Amino acid sequence: MEAEVIVVDNNSSDNSIEYLVPLFPSVKFIVNKENLGFAKGCNRGLAEAKGKFILFLNPDTLVPEDCFQQCTCFFASHPDTGAVGIKMLDGRGRFLKESKRAFPSPATSLYKLFGLSKLFPRSKTFAKYHLGHLNEKEDHEVDVLAGAFMMIKKEVLDKTGGFDEVFFMYGEDIDLSYRIQKAGYKNYYFSGSSVIHFKGESTRKGSMNYVRMFYKAMSIFVRKHYKGNRAGLFNFLLQIGILLGAVVSATGHFIRRIGLPLIDAGIILLSFWLMKNVWATWVRPETEYEQRLLWFAFPAYTVFYLLAAYFAGLYDKWYKRSELVSSTLFATIILLAAYALLPESVRFSRGILLFGSLLAFLFISILRWILIRSAVLSSNEHREENANTLIVGSPEEYKQTTALIKEAGLQEKILGRVAVEENDHAAVGNLQKIDELSLSIPFRELIFCEGVLSFSKIIQAVQQLSPGIRIKFHASGSNSIVGSDSRNTSGEAVSKENGYKLADPYNRRLKRLIDLFVSFFGLIIFPVHLFIVKKPFHFFANCFAVMVAKKTWVGYAMEEKRLPYLRKGVIACNGVALSLKQNLPLESLQMMDYWYARDYEPAGDLKLLWRMYRNLGG
């Protein structure tokens, strides 16, 4: 079709403009020097657009080849149409209910606040906001279309105007959908085509930022379009929603960042105390345990347990039950070994220690289950770094994809290729019989190659897969593989530019252990530094800052958003104190940070710290 493509960059920090512009000379790029928000960014593109139809499309989407033609045909067959939305799927092919929505109201807010919309997802009354009673496989007239994919007649936008720029993010699509209806046109949900929308790229759902921005947008919409008592009631409910959302978000944030080890500590202490009472009552009633000894021993064992669990991986970002098992086993062995080294006078019972650990394991397992069910923690049993992977594509596409995975430094276990053509018998199986293949080959991940196989057929195929399979996509001519396992969190992109060793949780724990060891050792031999280290008292302050996780000894030379997160360093990865001015050009510093993150070795930090010891006073 005859069309133009306009890309608006809202001050991205990943050098995407420098990368994309040479690759797509036919695309018009608009570069904003600051993040203006979704509404302003779209309006800047709209001001340059010349087409009969305008499509606002999120960048985290994959569209089938015939999607736009089908949408324009829908306009032709429905003359009263002002705008068209589409059936959207997440990165695993599951339907996204925000594809069709009703306008927000006090009643729908109440049903959402009290969880009735989740209890009755198909109810015309309780699930009205997401129009749960309407079949997603059929076309419907709806109130609200999602801004992620919103095709609108240019003549309609000439009457209504573009997005209201008072909305920064969220709510602008509801507002524009409302104005389109007020102008006498209809909004339609079109089910004849589907797009993949990875979701979660702009802000994490459930985060404090999400709660604040979403409810602020709803409040703006209510003040703009609703009057009288209805508006007052709605705003009251919004304030309740903001308060509840803030409490839930803050609680979840506290648990994820700080509170989980504290809660675990309480559980472990409780488990030891309960087991001590059981032991003293039924197992060894003749033994009297000195309370002062227990007040010292149980907290000490709890600290050992948590440290062992931390370095065994229990507090990594993604929770897996196997990590809890290994953490408990590792911690219990460490505790029993330490117990054996203690003097006889401070020992009390190996049985309490062993069975207390097992009881703690049971309680912590139950807690994790509750936190996962309530979406406070993320669980992904299929998120192994070394996933069993099948690549769906031609022999040439298979070769290109495996080379890309190797260049990215990933370790997926490639089990073979899935053919896309029926007469291709040189593969482990065929896409048409993928369900049968899952019975004989234990794969957890599929990488779909677009090229021989169209995006249209890929999107159809992912909707038929079982829900436990991870999915990634590799587009022809690109140097990347993209995918997302969750509708609530950011997706991931695999390219020859990533595969950072510093992102590995094991390496991050070792880096933290090095920080603590150097700081502790530096503090206990502090008088020595007075004669060797420049600015020894600054070194002393740095030791404390690193110990309380305000700094790390070796950090990036620049503030890096695109690399794995690090706290501010005392020295940069090239050995220069961050308090001093770097003499290298910006590009060199960026590459130096990139190499440090990509090729990180814990021993490298130790060597650098030894070499730069005199300058650790920063």
Side-chain angles (χ1 to χ4, degrees), residues 46-66:
L46 175 62
E48 303 291 332
K50 303 178 178 66
K52 181 180 177 182
F53 300 97
I54 307 297
L55 172 67
F56 297 105
L57 181 69
N58 266 33
D60 51 354
T61 52
L62 298 176
V63 296
E65 290 76 7
D66 59 350

Side-chain angles (χ1 to χ4, degrees), residues 184-232:
Y185 298 94
K186 292 182 178 179
N187 299 317
Y188 278 95
Y189 162 78
F190 176 53
S191 64
S193 186
S194 303
V195 303
I196 299 287
H197 180 207
F198 290 122
K199 292 281 292 173
E201 296 305 309
S202 300
T203 186
R204 188 185 187 276
K205 191 175 181 181
S207 68
M208 193 63 215
N209 192 39
Y210 169 84
V211 171
R212 180 180 60 81
M213 296 182 73
F214 177 78
Y215 283 104
K216 180 182 178 183
M218 292 300 99
S219 183
I220 293 171
F221 178 80
V222 170
R223 290 198 305 269
K224 182 176 178 181
H225 295 295
Y226 294 163
K227 306 296 181 185
N229 293 334
R230 191 184 184 201

Side-chain angles (χ1 to χ4, degrees), residues 546-562:
V546 173
M547 287 192 77
V548 298
K550 292 293 185 182
K551 291 183 179 181
T552 182
W553 283 112
V554 182
Y556 297 130
M558 302 176 57
E559 185 178 345
E560 296 285 358
K561 295 180 180 179
R562 61 193 178 91

Side-chain angles (χ1 to χ4, degrees), residues 491-521:
E492 55 184 322
V494 174
S495 76
K496 64 179 69 177
E497 298 304 319
N498 63 13
Y500 303 113
K501 288 186 178 180
L502 189 56
D504 187 315
Y506 176 74
N507 282 333
R508 295 185 72 83
R509 287 195 296 274
L510 285 181
K511 182 173 177 62
R512 181 62 183 150
L513 187 61
I514 290 170
D515 279 350
L516 292 173
F517 172 78
V518 172
S519 300
F520 180 73
F521 188 73

Side-chain angles (χ1 to χ4, degrees), residues 126-427:
F126 298 128
K128 183 180 179 182
Y129 183 61
H130 287 113
L131 302 174
H133 65 289
L134 299 181
N135 190 335
E136 62 262 22
K137 297 180 181 178
E138 298 174 359
D139 301 338
H140 301 284
E141 181 185 346
V142 297
D143 289 333
V144 178
L145 304 177
F149 185 108
M150 201 172 185
M151 185 176 281
I152 309 173
K153 287 179 179 176
K154 181 65 162 61
E155 64 183 67
V156 173
L157 287 169
D158 289 339
K159 293 180 181 179
T160 63
F163 290 108
D164 188 339
E165 296 182 3
V166 72
F167 298 92
F168 184 83
M169 187 162 57
Y170 305 119
E172 64 285 305
D173 49 1
I174 302 176
D175 175 75
L176 183 53
S177 297
Y178 187 90
R179 286 187 280 123
I180 290 171
Q181 279 196 2
K182 286 293 184 182
Y185 298 94
K186 292 182 178 179
N187 299 317
Y188 278 95
Y189 162 78
F190 176 53
S191 64
S193 186
S194 303
V195 303
I196 299 287
H197 180 207
F198 290 122
K199 292 281 292 173
E201 296 305 309
S202 300
T203 186
R204 188 185 187 276
K205 191 175 181 181
S207 68
M208 193 63 215
N209 192 39
Y210 169 84
V211 171
R212 180 180 60 81
M213 296 182 73
F214 177 78
Y215 283 104
K216 180 182 178 183
M218 292 300 99
S219 183
I220 293 171
F221 178 80
V222 170
R223 290 198 305 269
K224 182 176 178 181
H225 295 295
Y226 294 163
K227 306 296 181 185
N229 293 334
R230 191 184 184 201
L233 175 60
F234 204 167
N235 265 315
F236 173 72
L237 292 172
L238 284 173
Q239 294 307 313
I240 293 176
I242 291 171
L243 180 62
L244 291 176
V247 170
V248 171
S249 177
T251 302
H253 183 78
F254 172 76
I255 290 174
R256 283 190 296 269
R257 290 293 182 92
I258 306 169
L260 199 55
L262 296 179
I263 294 171
D264 287 349
I267 288 175
I268 296 163
L269 285 170
L270 175 65
S271 301
F272 286 150
W273 180 79
L274 288 174
M275 191 52 58
K276 174 257 180 185
N277 288 336
V278 170
W279 212 257
T281 304
W282 287 291
V283 182
R284 291 285 182 85
E286 73 282 358
T287 304
E288 186 174 343
Y289 299 100
E290 188 180 345
Q291 290 298 322
R292 287 186 305 169
L293 176 60
L294 298 180
W295 279 110
F296 168 77
F298 285 173
Y301 287 142
T302 300
V303 170
F304 274 116
Y305 190 106
L306 292 176
L307 286 173
Y310 170 76
F311 288 107
L314 183 58
Y315 300 108
D316 287 347
K317 179 180 178 182
W318 298 95
Y319 167 72
K320 292 199 319 188
R321 186 177 178 82
S322 60
E323 290 177 348
L324 177 58
V325 173
S326 62
S327 297
T328 303
L329 182 62
F330 182 48
T332 304
I333 291 172
I334 293 291
L335 288 178
L336 291 173
Y339 177 89
L341 298 174
L342 292 175
E344 188 70 34
S345 59
V346 296
R347 298 184 191 178
F348 54 93
S349 172
R350 282 190 296 268
I352 294 177
L353 206 58
L354 175 60
F355 290 104
S357 297
L358 293 177
L359 188 60
F361 167 75
L362 176 63
F363 287 158
I364 291 174
S365 296
I366 295 171
L367 173 68
R368 293 299 191 275
W369 181 83
I370 293 171
L371 293 176
I372 289 165
R373 295 293 294 178
S374 57
V376 174
L377 290 183
S378 299
S379 174
N380 196 335
E381 289 293 335
H382 307 290
R383 200 182 172 82
E384 299 94 343
E385 292 186 4
N386 304 329
N388 291 334
T389 302
L390 289 174
I391 297 173
V392 184
S394 68
E396 183 59 32
E397 290 168 341
Y398 175 80
K399 187 186 300 182
Q400 293 170 355
T401 307
T402 51
L404 180 57
I405 289 172
K406 186 177 180 180
E407 287 177 339
L410 302 182
Q411 302 297 322
E412 265 90 341
K413 299 172 184 174
I414 308 297
L415 301 181
R417 180 176 67 87
V418 176
V420 296
E421 297 175 329
E422 292 187 9
N423 60 352
D424 184 352
H425 302 294

